[in-house]
Amino acid sequence: MKISQTSATPTYILKNNYRLLKNSFLALCISVAGIHSAQAADNWNGTVLGFEAPGEGMFGDMLGIRPIIEDHGFHYQLGYLSESSYNAGGGYNHDKHLAYIDQFSLTFTQDLEMYTGIPDAAIEGNIVNRNHDDNLTSKRTQDPRVGFNDLAQESWGGQSITRLGWLTFSRSFDDRKLHWRIGMMNKNQDFDQIIPCDFQLLSQCGGKSANSMTWYNWNKHYWGTTFQYKLTPELTLKTGIMEQNPDASDRKYAWSGSLKGARGILLPMEAELKTKVNGLPGIYNVGLLYTNSPQTDLSEGKTQSVGATDPEGYRKHSSTWFMYTGFNQQVTQRGDDPNRGMSVSYSLGLGDQRSNAIHHSQAASMRYRGLFDARPDDWLGFGMTYIKMSNHYRQNQENLNTIYQVDDYGNPLYTPLSGHSVNADLYYQIKVRSWLILQPDLQYWYRPGGVKETQDAWVTGLKAIVTF
């Protein structure tokens, strides 16, 4: 649908899209609430879905220190992760390169209920140290003249840096049905957590809400408060209010508690259902993210249709939205062992293509835990992702080529046109010890970055995880 150039029409369209999404969200919540009782989630076990409890760490009980601090309510996970990727064939740049990144992470919870009697009262924190700014995607796989829409190493964060991921206080009310959190937080604490981040390909890592580009994953914090209400034991409704700060990725905000740079607020809504289908556990969600933070149009100008030549620059929009949904369902069980079997998952993210370079992305995956009797704790995973770039993003690329009067892909002034791309990832995860995991993977990139002129690419990788 072509959007009119009048200033009123885009706002009208946005408001109606938001109203439609909100009504759909509420309708789904009502319908889910009506069917949950038929699919009770008694003894819900998410192991085969990828939510496996961590094993004993390398240092065990640390000469008796860990049990002592846990008796005082302090629980922590200290881990190491490395991801290596190698351009085995194809891609934009055929020169061979082995890209390597790693990180250390500390996630902790201090139980305050045992001292105060306040239900579920706790302080939660996360600190992440990332090293080696070495991105195979931008160096070899994709054309550097366009922004990447996927990553061969999902933990690449653009910097070698130590950050505060979150530091929050939380507690419960109403017989533990209402959970409240406040502080410097991250969306991963509350929202879009139905699919694990086990694949090394970013588009297969978790849900799709990070594609909104208005909030951030894992190791970046922003002020806010959130609420989770258990409408039933299976159905949880979530909402909150957070700052929208596009400067959160800057190094100076790594440990800052300042609100400087905030452009508006984020209003997320999500419904999450933990249930059983044919006696097997599953988890489903649908979410909507709205922000009043000003957004820059990817193509249109303030006074004319072409923003690249508009003397007043690109058009600004007063708000934007993003919708996400997905499911993760166990479909088979190996014998009478509930911790072995196959699960399938699907996730979808849909954004406002006037200001979001990725219009929509869809990912489907399969996981199997304990495929071989001799290796009951190993995993096999396969996933495919379809990514469609924004029409406004592509229109701006066409406009730039018209301005520079180039139509030759080989010309350095040419801006490649982004359309759709399909990526796939196959891995086998080996649990060498309770504290050591090695995960080789093979990735296939069709039209990397959505550019048809870029040769399809093969990428091999290795992920290593150590729990201390």
Side-chain angles (χ1 to χ4, degrees):
M1 178 178 66
K2 182 176 178 60
I3 298 179
S4 167
Q5 303 304 311
T6 62
S7 60
T9 302
T11 303
Y12 174 79
I13 292 174
L14 177 59
K15 288 181 178 179
N16 277 274
N17 280 336
Y18 176 66
R19 188 179 299 113
L20 176 62
L21 290 170
K22 182 178 71 174
N23 291 340
S24 299
F25 173 85
L26 294 175
L28 180 60
C29 292
I30 294 171
S31 64
V32 166
I35 67 172
H36 83 277
S37 59
Q39 301 177 352
D42 295 336
N43 302 317
W44 192 91
N45 177 4
T47 300
V48 175
L49 303 181
F51 304 109
E52 183 176 3
E56 184 181 46
M58 178 190 295
F59 300 139
D61 64 4
M62 296 180 61
L63 301 177
I65 297 175
R66 183 189 284 263
I68 294 174
I69 61 177
E70 288 185 346
D71 287 344
H72 287 82
F74 186 81
H75 304 271
Y76 74 93
Q77 288 293 326
L78 177 62
Y80 169 82
L81 167 73
S82 70
E83 292 180 344
S84 303
S85 287
Y86 178 74
N87 54 322
Y92 177 79
N93 187 333
H94 294 184
D95 293 340
K96 301 306 178 185
H97 178 66
L98 177 63
Y100 175 85
I101 60 172
D102 65 15
Q103 70 178 28
F104 292 88
S105 63
L106 171 65
T107 302
F108 62 88
T109 301
Q110 175 60 58
D111 181 1
L112 299 179
E113 181 177 1
M114 62 189 300
Y115 297 110
T116 65
I118 300 174
D120 296 321
I123 294 175
E124 299 164 282
N126 169 265
I127 300 170
V128 180
N129 165 252
R130 282 183 168 170
N131 303 285
H132 312 295
D133 184 6
D134 193 4
N135 181 1
L136 183 74
T137 303
S138 59
K139 288 184 176 181
R140 295 292 188 271
T141 310
Q142 291 192 186
D143 191 323
R145 292 173 292 181
V146 297
F148 52 79
N149 59 11
D150 208 345
L151 287 173
Q153 303 144 280
E154 53 82 17
S155 279
W156 178 80
Q159 303 174 33
S160 293
I161 191 173
T162 301
R163 288 182 176 275
L164 175 67
W166 59 79
L167 184 61
T168 58
F169 169 79
S170 60
R171 62 157 298 175
S172 295
F173 299 90
D174 191 17
D175 196 23
R176 303 184 192 270
K177 292 180 181 179
L178 175 64
H179 186 263
W180 172 58
R181 177 177 282 114
I182 188 169
M184 294 182 288
M185 59 182 46
N186 184 277
K187 76 173 191 67
N188 287 13
Q189 293 179 273
D190 292 278
F191 297 96
D192 201 17
Q193 296 302 299
I194 68 167
I195 298 174
C197 183
D198 48 355
F199 286 88
Q200 188 163 305
L201 189 68
L202 177 63
S203 60
Q204 287 290 333
C205 173
K208 294 292 171 287
S209 63
N211 286 347
S212 69
M213 302 304 293
T214 53
W215 60 8
Y216 312 98
N217 272 334
W218 187 234
N219 67 333
K220 299 173 185 177
H221 64 267
Y222 25 93
W223 283 100
T225 185
T226 61
F227 302 89
Q228 296 190 30
Y229 188 80
K230 285 188 176 295
L231 193 63
T232 72
E234 297 80 32
L235 179 62
T236 302
L237 303 183
K238 308 176 183 182
T239 189
I241 180 170
M242 307 175 186
E243 65 164 320
Q244 202 291 305
N245 193 334
D247 295 334
S249 298
D250 195 284
R251 296 187 71 92
K252 64 184 179 182
Y253 287 92
W255 291 86
S256 173
S258 172
L259 288 169
K260 186 177 180 181
R263 306 291 177 83
I265 59 172
L266 293 167
L267 299 174
M269 295 186 294
E270 182 179 328
E272 178 187 277
L273 176 71
K274 285 185 176 180
T275 186
K276 287 190 175 183
V277 176
N278 296 325
L280 297 176
I283 184 168
Y284 300 71
N285 76 347
V286 59
L288 176 65
L289 181 63
Y290 174 83
T291 177
N292 66 352
S293 172
Q295 306 292 310
T296 301
D297 197 288
L298 296 172
S299 175
E300 298 177 2
K302 291 183 177 180
T303 61
Q304 60 187 37
S305 61
V306 180
T309 58
D310 194 320
E312 296 189 21
Y314 288 86
R315 174 177 295 182
K316 297 290 185 180
H317 301 288
S318 60
S319 58
T320 191
W321 55 269
F322 190 90
M323 180 183 178
Y324 60 93
T325 187
F327 68 84
N328 187 2
Q329 176 66 53
Q330 184 174 344
V331 293
T332 70
Q333 179 175 303
R334 189 70 173 265
D336 58 357
D337 189 346
N339 295 326
R340 295 177 66 185
M342 179 188 294
S343 64
V344 294
S345 67
Y346 170 82
S347 58
L348 164 70
L350 177 65
D352 180 358
Q353 61 180 330
R354 300 174 307 162
S355 55
N356 195 318
I358 298 177
H359 178 36
H360 65 82
S361 60
Q362 304 177 59
S365 59
M366 175 280 298
R367 295 169 178 82
Y368 200 110
R369 188 179 191 274
L371 181 63
F372 306 110
D373 291 337
R375 306 291 308 174
D377 297 325
D378 287 359
W379 289 83
L380 173 70
F382 176 72
M384 295 187 66
T385 309
Y386 177 87
I387 303 172
K388 176 67 171 63
M389 304 303 290
S390 158
N391 289 340
H392 279 232
Y393 181 66
R394 181 184 177 93
Q395 182 61 58
N396 189 63
Q397 294 170 320
E398 294 176 348
N399 292 340
L400 291 173
N401 290 333
T402 299
I403 293 169
Y404 290 113
Q405 297 182 339
V406 292
D407 57 10
D408 177 16
Y409 176 79
N411 191 317
L413 294 178
Y414 182 81
T415 302
L417 305 181
S418 299
H420 71 276
S421 59
V422 178
N423 298 335
D425 194 1
L426 172 69
Y427 76 76
Y428 188 81
Q429 185 182 104
I430 306 166
K431 180 167 283 190
V432 183
R433 294 286 187 272
S434 63
W435 49 267
L436 174 61
I437 290 173
L438 297 178
Q439 181 176 302
D441 84 314
L442 177 64
Q443 303 173 16
Y444 179 71
W445 294 56
Y446 171 72
R447 297 177 58 158
V451 178
K452 66 179 181 180
E453 291 86 356
T454 303
Q455 184 179 352
D456 297 351
W458 289 96
V459 174
T460 58
L462 177 64
K463 178 189 290 191
I465 302 172
V466 178
T467 302
F468 297 104

